[in-house]
Amino acid sequence: MHKNAFTPDNAAMVLIDHQVGTMSWTHSLDINIVRKNTLKLAQIAKALEMPAVLTSSMEDQINFTGPLIPELEQILPEAFAARIRRPGIVNAMHHEGFNKAVKATGRKKLFVAGITTEICITFPVLQMLEEGYEVQVSADASASFSQVGNDLALQRMHKAGAAIVTVPQIVSELALDWTSPNGRKLVSIIEYS
């Protein structure tokens, strides 16, 4: 294991605005792939008992964003119940409840994914980096309005210090060895059916 490795003991999962309506706006990646990978991230957090923070934007105020995808409640019922319902604040880290929830994980390494990459992910990730967090952005569990917007957002976050990764990379980093206890918990998550 390298010295900067993310492990179940030092990392948390942060899922931002994977809302039914918001996801329908995206065109940079097949939304079914984004949904599947988002659920895999939730399954990783559950399997390894990692802290997870969920948030939504304006889910109770306007119909077009909608609620978080319902499978998140099934996989992470406690995190879903404690989700931070932001009233329209673009940078989730500017929302006191969200910022406190991220700090309350006690982790300085964060796996982050969300919708949209260019708005709802970019600004909180930039602030997380400024606040001293190490961040891995799951590009395959995030999406944007357009491919160019998605690509530029990922480039901006990478340039600021975030690692841009995929769900298989996250699973593999956390497993270390498929025959280890964590590896056995995660091996079924990496399978692409």
Side-chain angles (χ1 to χ4, degrees), residues 2-181:
H2 60 89
K3 66 179 181 171
N4 295 322
F6 281 48
T7 70
D9 297 325
N10 70 14
M13 192 71 65
V14 180
L15 302 178
I16 300 175
D17 300 351
H18 287 98
Q19 294 168 252
V20 175
T22 312
M23 289 179 75
S24 71
W25 304 342
T26 64
H27 303 286
S28 63
L29 187 62
D30 181 321
I31 203 60
N32 295 313
I33 292 171
V34 174
R35 182 185 208 104
K36 185 177 187 177
N37 286 326
T38 300
L39 298 178
K40 286 182 180 194
L41 292 176
Q43 291 167 344
I44 290 165
K46 179 180 180 175
L48 300 180
E49 299 178 10
M50 291 172 53
V53 178
L54 308 181
T55 187
S56 63
S57 180
M58 303 175 74
E59 82 171 68
D60 298 326
Q61 297 168 351
I62 49 178
N63 292 332
F64 63 83
T65 58
L68 290 176
I69 54 176
E71 297 93 335
L72 289 173
E73 183 175 18
Q74 296 163 7
I75 298 167
L76 295 170
E78 290 177 20
F80 186 90
R83 72 192 177 281
I84 309 303
R85 298 178 194 201
R86 300 186 333 281
I89 296 171
V90 173
N91 178 347
M93 289 297 282
H94 286 175
H95 185 275
E96 184 179 358
F98 179 83
N99 198 307
K100 284 183 177 178
V102 171
K103 286 184 172 116
T105 68
R107 311 296 173 90
K108 292 301 279 184
K109 296 176 186 278
L110 305 173
F111 293 111
V112 179
I115 305 294
T116 64
T117 312
E118 59 202 311
I119 299 172
C120 304
I121 300 303
T122 297
F123 301 110
V125 165
L126 294 175
Q127 185 169 337
M128 289 168 181
L129 294 167
E130 287 176 9
E131 291 186 19
Y133 292 97
E134 293 179 58
V135 180
Q136 290 190 21
V137 176
S138 180
D140 56 352
S142 304
S144 291
F145 306 108
S146 68
Q147 190 64 57
V148 68
N150 196 72
D151 293 348
L152 292 173
L154 293 173
Q155 289 173 22
R156 184 176 180 187
M157 289 183 282
H158 178 69
K159 186 175 181 181
I164 309 303
V165 299
T166 63
V167 171
Q169 288 175 298
I170 293 169
V171 172
S172 301
E173 181 167 4
L174 292 170
L176 287 176
D177 176 345
W178 301 118
T179 64
S180 71

